[in-house]
Amino acid sequence: MAKPISGLLATALAALGLAAPAQAQTAAPTAVVFENVRVFDGAGLTAPMNVLVEGNRIATISAEPIQASDTATRIAGEGRTLMPGLIDAHWHTFMVRPTMAVASTAPMTLITLMAGAEAEATLLRGFTSVRDLGSPSFGLKMAIDRDVVFGPRIWPSGAMISQSGGHGDFRMLHEVPATPDRLSYPERMGMSAIADSPDEVRKRTREQLLQGASQIKLTVGGGVSSPYGPIDTVQLSVPEIRAAVEAASSWGTYVTVHAYTPEAIRSAIEGGAKVIDHGQLADEATAKLMAETGTWWSLQPFLADEMANAQPDAAGRAQAAEVRAGTDNAYRLAKKFGVKVAFGTDILFDGARAARQGAQLQTMTRWYTPAEVLKMATADNAALLALSDRRNPYPGKLGVVEVGALADLLLVDGDPTADISLLSDPAKNLLVIMKDGRIFKNSLKS
């Protein structure tokens, strides 16, 4: 019998000396009944309930026993927690598992295989949806949607659009100046797209949209890992940002931006961007502006801890220290002014840290209660994903356990509203993982 594609992926990775996650279990029963579960409703846990999933949606939630067909799968919750699948609002599907050296030198076939393995691992950590903010993830998304490999729902941005010398310019110095007939390797592979006028930004935006982008990612300021533009620089002019916003709006979606400083954030908002990713160096006036304009703040809990992205040089380490020093203040300002905040991890070039993706939820309790963190990583992040509007690749309600919602569900062995660290050990504590009504893990299966 031929191996399933996921098995072929594991075999190929093993031949390359790369560990692959255990193959997921899948099932597509006519119905699934979760019996005697306490449902996370966005604020806390309900009294014991029963939940029926039919197809890919939640059909019934009842305190009374649920009648279902004889072929239905029944899962004995025994008072455990049923919650929505987790959502990571800042993820780089192709830059999670390879080291920086591998990412910059290995053939794209290897990087793609590693991304496929990481996608399966991401799903088995309970993250059923990710917003990909810069990578050639269109094909992987198609493979997941067609059951070629297992993984989360992906909202792809495609290539991050950057000015020359900007955060998304990964060229080697010998590749400068650019010529019309020669793109750099990252541009050819779809990691980044360099544009230096409103017309060029508009064209690059439309190129991502034609490939299936659900939102557009611009880099409007420097970053910690920027090979060139320092973190204090303001990148892309307001007319250039506005060109991307207009092109995205014509397709019914939005622009999100990489930015840290007040100047870059204000420029992005003036240009019409709807989401600021990072922003740890924002000041009070800028946070107030975000609140007044309804701009989303996609923050990451960057701290000087074991989850910090490694930096290869002194300049990068100095910029990382500046960002980490601003993290506490950023969350304080977001809470003070009532800015809409999303949760994301932005883990780069380290599979071991990616394996602890859920541990970032515990880090968030420095600023929020466990229930607030869970709501942010489910219902709030789902509201952010919905900004994709007509380009939303998965129409339907996510992030909640409600009748009619898409059935992305986790059965947790314990109460994460009391002990959110349970989600740091998904192999042990996530007993059932369901995405789109299909069971990908069931530790209770006899």
Side-chain angles (χ1 to χ4, degrees), residues 179-334:
T179 60
D181 60 343
R182 186 183 67 183
L183 292 177
S184 65
Y185 179 73
E187 291 175 278
R188 296 197 307 274
M189 295 301 102
M191 299 297 295
S192 65
I194 298 173
D196 289 300
S197 70
D199 284 345
E200 286 188 1
V201 170
R202 186 177 294 108
K203 180 176 182 178
R204 298 308 177 204
T205 296
R206 289 171 175 168
E207 288 174 346
Q208 307 319 305
L209 292 167
L210 76 84
Q211 294 178 83
S214 52
Q215 66 283 322
I216 296 299
K217 162 80 173 290
L218 303 182
T219 63
V220 303
V224 172
S225 58
S226 300
Y228 306 114
I231 200 166
D232 62 291
T233 56
V234 179
Q235 301 170 9
L236 291 178
S237 65
V238 171
E240 288 171 327
I241 297 168
R242 190 171 290 125
V245 168
E246 290 172 352
S249 179
S250 295
W251 281 58
T253 187
Y254 71 98
V255 167
T256 187
V257 302
H258 161 106
Y260 281 104
T261 66
E263 296 81 5
I265 295 169
R266 289 197 297 269
S267 178
I269 293 174
E270 184 179 351
K274 289 188 177 182
V275 185
I276 305 298
D277 272 273
H278 307 314
Q280 278 82 354
L281 304 183
D283 56 17
E284 290 219 0
T286 308
K288 187 170 183 285
L289 177 64
M290 281 191 269
E292 291 172 346
T293 56
T295 303
W296 277 85
W297 198 347
S298 176
L299 266 169
Q300 304 77 41
F302 291 155
L303 297 170
D305 59 13
E306 68 278 4
M307 292 301 295
N309 289 326
Q311 300 303 321
D313 54 46
R317 289 189 288 272
Q319 293 186 136
E322 184 181 1
V323 167
R324 292 165 190 161
T327 296
D328 272 309
N329 187 55
Y331 282 109
R332 180 186 68 81
L333 291 175

Side-chain angles (χ1 to χ4, degrees), residues 392-417:
N392 185 348
Y394 308 102
K397 194 166 187 179
L398 285 170
V400 294
V401 184
E402 295 179 1
V403 172
L406 293 170
D408 288 12
L409 300 169
L410 309 176
L411 184 65
V412 185
D413 192 12
D415 178 2
T417 67

Side-chain angles (χ1 to χ4, degrees), residues 103-188:
S104 58
T105 59
M108 201 62 193
T109 47
L110 173 59
I111 304 301
T112 301
L113 284 169
M114 296 177 79
E118 185 56 43
E120 184 171 339
T122 301
L123 177 61
L124 294 180
R125 290 192 292 267
F127 286 85
T128 54
S129 296
V130 297
R131 189 174 67 127
D132 185 284
L133 292 187
S135 72
S137 59
F138 299 120
L140 179 58
K141 176 190 176 298
M142 292 170 65
I144 292 170
D145 292 347
R146 298 178 185 185
D147 294 329
V148 177
V149 295
F150 304 137
R153 303 175 189 268
I154 297 178
W155 273 255
S157 299
M160 62 183 83
I161 299 172
S162 167
Q163 70 175 44
S164 293
H167 178 65
D169 188 345
F170 305 118
R171 291 175 294 175
M172 299 297 172
L173 290 177
H174 64 74
E175 295 177 294
V176 178
T179 60
D181 60 343
R182 186 183 67 183
L183 292 177
S184 65
Y185 179 73
E187 291 175 278
R188 296 197 307 274

Side-chain angles (χ1 to χ4, degrees), residues 420-441:
I420 201 169
S421 70
L422 292 169
L423 301 177
S424 300
D425 190 353
K428 176 183 178 183
N429 299 316
L430 296 187
L431 303 182
V432 177
I433 298 173
M434 172 181 281
K435 188 194 84 171
D436 206 38
R438 297 176 59 193
I439 296 171
F440 286 82
K441 175 185 177 181

Side-chain angles (χ1 to χ4, degrees), residues 21-39:
Q23 185 171 329
Q25 308 170 44
T26 59
T30 56
V32 178
V33 181
F34 291 92
E35 299 176 318
N36 186 20
V37 293
R38 300 182 68 196
V39 174

